Amino acid sequence: DTGVSQDPRHKITKRGQNVTFRCDPISEHNRLYWYRQTLGQGPEFLTYFQNEAQLEKSRLLSDRFSAERPKGSFSTLEIQRTEQGDSAMYLCASSLEVTGNTGELFFGEGSRLTVL
Amino acid sequence: SQQGEEDPQALSIQEGENATMNCSYKTSINNLQWYRQNSGRGLVHLILIRSNEREKHSGRLRVTLDTSKKSSSLLITASRAADTASYFCASFSGGYNKLIFGAGTRLAVHP
């Protein structure tokens, strides 16, 4: 399967613990996005990378959140000192950005975080 | 912030009926996209309509775009139980940077 993969699919943690999610995009895609989605809502943009450069971060991304894409391939999203309000589905998506392309995003299945 | 707002929030129909979902957006767009999400899963791209297009078809899907009203609609014809999902509109504003989603329409198709 050459789609976007995310790991883990589910994570239950206690408040105050750190968690890390990994995303492996489609191999030739140069853009990688992170979104957060709570129940009954649409995905909220968190951040995106163009190759290894993090080009934009949402104000939703507090200083407890950090994302990296060290070699322009896979990405990690770390949440430090988790809070119950961090409970959500974290979605990763990738796309191939070239002049005149459609901007279609390919999503992974998400990583569901539950903070107790 | 959400770029698009879908209407209705929820829609319940019988198999074979048509389902229409509407989307309004705030700023100028390059294109508008519709995605589908089954419960607990990732999103899947359905169809894209460019700002210079007014209507587009793909199988049982028909999308319209009215840039003067900043609105779009998604029509699913002859719905099936397998169409049960949430549907989101999304758009880039001011370039291909970040795709912003609406809150979605939850469609339930009953056999």
Side-chain angles (χ1 to χ4, degrees), chain A residues 11-38:
Chain A
K11 178 71 176 178
I12 300 174
T13 190
K14 293 182 179 179
R15 188 176 54 187
Q17 297 294 306
N18 299 342
V19 296
T20 299
F21 301 115
R22 176 181 170 121
C23 172
D24 288 90
I26 293 172
S27 59
E28 63 268 27
H29 283 183
N30 52 5
R31 283 206 172 182
L32 187 147
Y33 299 79
W34 285 99
Y35 286 84
R36 181 172 68 188
Q37 186 179 29
T38 54

Side-chain angles (χ1 to χ4, degrees), chain B residues 84-110:
Chain B
T84 295
S86 291
Y87 293 82
F88 298 92
C89 67
S91 61
F92 291 98
S93 60
Y96 293 105
N97 293 322
K98 58 186 182 185
L99 194 62
I100 304 299
F101 289 83
T105 292
R106 280 154 287 288
L107 173 66
V109 182
H110 302 284

